[in-house]
Amino acid sequence: MINTIKFPIKINEFIFNDNKFITKAKKYDYCDIESLRFVIENISSNFSKYEHYNFSIRMSDDTIFDLQVGDAAFTINKKKLLKKNQA
C-alpha cells in the first residue's frame, strides 16, 4: 500500500505545500523549522470520547505557531445526557 499526500493541505488558517506553509498571508519554508511538537489529548465523558490535537511549530527566529484541531465527530447534547442520567 502506497501512502501519498496531495498538496496543498488546508487546516484552519494554515496552508501546507510540499516545500513551505502559509499562514496569515506569510510564507515560511520548512527548512526554517527549528522544532515540532505534537500532542494528543484524550477526554472521556459519559462513555463519549473526544480527541484534541495540538501541533506546535517553532521557527528558527523563535516564532511559535500552534495548530489546534478538535474531533469534529464529538458532540454533547446536554438535554439528552440529562434524560439518560435521570432514567
Side-chain angles (χ1 to χ4, degrees):
M1 176 194 231
I2 298 173
N3 292 324
T4 58
I5 298 174
K6 296 183 181 186
F7 293 101
I9 299 171
K10 183 173 183 342
I11 303 172
N12 296 343
E13 73 272 6
F14 292 84
I15 300 172
F16 294 94
N17 292 296
D18 57 348
N19 59 354
K20 65 183 171 281
F21 68 95
I22 302 167
T23 184
K24 299 179 182 172
K26 191 168 179 185
K27 296 178 184 179
Y28 298 91
D29 291 326
Y30 292 135
C31 64
D32 292 327
I33 293 175
E34 189 71 26
S35 66
L36 301 170
R37 185 179 80 156
F38 185 71
V39 177
I40 301 173
E41 181 181 25
N42 291 302
I43 301 167
S44 294
S45 174
N46 295 324
F47 306 108
S48 295
K49 291 183 180 179
Y50 171 74
E51 285 189 339
H52 182 82
Y53 309 96
N54 185 357
F55 182 60
S56 297
I57 305 168
R58 185 167 62 91
M59 306 303 290
S60 57
D61 66 356
D62 287 333
T63 302
I64 297 175
F65 297 102
D66 282 318
L67 176 59
Q68 298 178 359
V69 179
D71 183 357
F74 179 78
T75 58
I76 294 178
N77 185 330
K78 291 182 181 179
K79 288 182 183 177
K80 196 181 265 187
L81 186 60
L82 182 60
K83 285 180 185 177
K84 278 185 181 179
N85 289 339
Q86 290 176 349

